[in-house]
Amino acid sequence: MTGRVCRGCGGTDIELDAARGDAVCTGCGSVLEDNIIVSEVQFVENSGGGSSAVGQFVSLDGAGKTPTLGGGFHVNLGKESRAQTLQNGRRQIHHLGNQLQLNQHCLDTAFNFFKMAVSKHLTRGRKMAHVIAACLYLVCRTEGTPHMLLDLSDLLQVNVYVLGKTFLLLARELCINAPAIDPCLYIPRFAHLLEFGEKNHEVSMTALRLLQRMKRDWMHTGRRPSGLCGAALLVAARMHDFRRTVKEVISVVKVCESTLRKRLTEFEDTPTSQLTVDEFMKIDLEEECDPPSYTAGQRKLRLKQLEQVLSKKLEEVEGEISTYQDAIENELESSRPKAKGALANLTRDGSVEDTTSSVFGEDDAEDEELEAAASHLNKDFYQEILGSGLSSSSEGAGDPDGDTRPPALESLLGPLPTAASLGISDSIRECISSQSQDPTDACGDGELDLSGIDDLEIDRYILNEAEARVKAELWMRENAEYLREQREKEARIAKEKELGIYKEHKPKKSCKRREPIQASTAGEAIEKMLEQKKISSKINYSVLRDLNSKGGGGLQEEDAQPEGRTATRKLSRRKTPARRHRADPVTGVGKRLRPMVSAQPAKKAAAGEPLPLSPSTLGAEPARPTAVLVESGPVSYHPEDDPDEDDPDEDDGEPCVSALQMMGSGDYGCDGEEDDGY
Amino acid sequence: MDADSDVALDILITNVVCVFRTRCHLNLRKIALEGANVIYKRDVGKVLMKLRKPRITATIWSSGKIICTGATSEEEAKFGARRLARSLQKLGFQVIFTDFKVVNVLAVCNMPFEIRLPEFTKNNRPHASYEPELHPAVCYRIKSLRATLQIFSTGSITVTELWK
């Protein structure tokens, strides 16, 4: 009882009949409302005799889905892209989740994550499958289910690192902190797969204890949890007299054999490994070990230190060598005073090797070792000197000249290093000069600052012709396969061009996003939408208008409509060749519309739709209707339209308009010819 | 403090990446034929040129954009880039050295102690992310400095540029 007041008598006693949907005043009997929308459940009898409620289930997330008008509208007019994406995502999540045996709660959570991701535009530019997998894995992590990222990548056949990247991004963007993975979670799963039978639980417990121990020994940081699990399970199995080979374990745990072995050796290094089985179950050692990578690092450090010590010792040895060197040099100077002058002259030249050898070649007695020494002016020199020094020092002991002329040999030996490295002298100079260059060289104007750049060396980077040819040949040989492919591709394209079936694979143009239609009334909205979608203009506009506004302005539309029709017809005559191109997509559209058109009420609606186009566009520019595709091809439903259109018009009591008149043959005589086509 | 001095000592710049443009079109084929230390990758359309003196590798595109990697300091990177431009000039292209920019600097550093990654991640929640299944290091991002640090449990840390 709504407590309304009757219009007729002013009485408040109004009876509502739910079944008939009437509101009647009991005082004067006037009907206030009929066809009230009632919220009642209606029952319908089945063939089996039972009754079921009338109605449809509407899903929670299907918001915005318009119920199909009269059924059969398969075009995605009502759904927007976002809803479609979500629906698609939901479907895929369920599909994947069922394969992973996730429960419904997890799947719902995953869908929520997905919705969040879509709203933050994280699905753009990424494969939907990756995003779905990342959402699912996120749920697995937060719920603590024993699913690995590897499982998901197995299902999808995608690289696990790619999935990982997407997952990390998702977790970061959604600000969800996934708790760190605990290897203990995987134990029951792997144990089950390894089939321990009755002792499953015991083995799992042992493996868990092992894992705890490993954690305390810092073996688990930075390692794949599955690898640790594998090692723990292997040891636990052996402890309980189960023979599980390494191969079996790795097939379950999905790590490499070498990884497993490494974990086992690391565990071996810990003191816990020395305990027996029983001791292990009872005792827990107090001390904790360092992580194995750290111990490895320490070992390396120790090696380095050893090396340093060794090198120091080497230096000492070298010191000894240099003293011998001095001794020899003194002897030389003392034995050949005249040679010194020659030496001094020649050292200025820089070609020391020849002088030393020539000088040394003069005297025979002491020359043998010295000659040998002179011939090896690199490191062997020192060995020889040492050898010769020992022999000559005994001779040189007789010579009192100890340290009279040390500089001579030094001048002799001095240029030796530079002589050996003549080739890089200019580059060394360059390096020195380059370091002194200022960072304030003018780069703003774009000119290349040439300071410090040695042209000579750069010239060396440029090959001459012969070298270039050789190089070209080498490159050709290396890349022969690629070149062959390119040539084949070109040949293929040329052939296709000849045959005329060459299709240029243009990069797909991203479809422009249409602006949402803004209209004040439903009719206007539909007009605009059809304007954009470019469905055929043969459909009767006025009928649609009638649907919306009950008969109001029907006359006007009729008059407008024939004009519209004729105008478009006229244009179609002029532009028929152009139309034929357009006809292809349009016939496609027309085909879509035809099944719709066959159903009567649907037809009316469809018929009415695009025609409001013509009057509106006509008013603007006559050129505009070219956007409206007029089918000059076979449009079978068209003649059906007219009689149907006539009927409702006549029913409404409007003046009869013959089909011909509607088509406006009176005004445009030529159109009659065209109409013959129909 | 010993630890401090160690940290200050150990940080080493291992790589500097820079880009610059030569405002001219480069004929990769010519460079490939006449350059001494070049690798021509025709399928991706670039030329790799390696210099010895500042030990750098440069990737050259035909549009004139060049990326230069392998230098051990910023000055060296600039020097190498200039040498490269000079050598291109000698090959005959009208090279103008513009838009030089250091894009990435990679450094390594060693802590004398080991680091416990799971606890570290827990204490540094928004910045640190640790995925043992994927990578053994914690990825710590500092947005203000545009840096990404990879922290390993041995105590070695890699510092690089934050992308995104």
Side-chain angles (χ1 to χ4, degrees), chain A residues 367-388:
Chain A
D367 277 344
E368 281 157 8
E369 317 91 280
L370 294 171
E371 218 175 301
S375 60
H376 305 286
L377 278 175
N378 41 13
K379 54 183 170 158
D380 294 338
F381 182 84
Y382 294 110
Q383 312 285 38
E384 298 285 337
I385 284 290
L386 198 59
S388 58

Side-chain angles (χ1 to χ4, degrees), chain A residues 249-317:
Chain A
V249 173
I250 59 176
S251 64
V252 164
V253 160
K254 296 179 200 165
V255 288
C256 184
E257 194 179 319
S258 54
T259 313
L260 201 60
R261 273 188 220 279
K262 205 164 167 217
R263 299 286 168 270
L264 288 171
T265 44
E266 282 168 8
F267 190 58
E268 206 182 327
D269 289 336
T270 67
T272 315
S273 62
Q274 308 303 322
L275 300 172
T276 67
V277 174
D278 293 327
E279 281 174 10
F280 174 71
M281 301 308 276
K282 292 177 198 132
I283 306 167
D284 207 7
L285 285 177
E286 281 302 318
E287 64 173 62
E288 297 180 0
C289 293
D290 288 328
S293 45
Y294 183 68
T295 46
Q298 294 293 74
R299 223 178 292 150
K300 272 189 216 157
L301 267 176
R302 260 178 265 138
L303 276 173
K304 252 199 218 167
Q305 283 171 358
L306 273 173
E307 272 181 39
Q308 278 177 358
V309 170
L310 275 172
S311 62
K312 272 197 206 121
K313 288 223 175 103
L314 274 170
E315 280 169 24
E316 288 168 24
V317 173

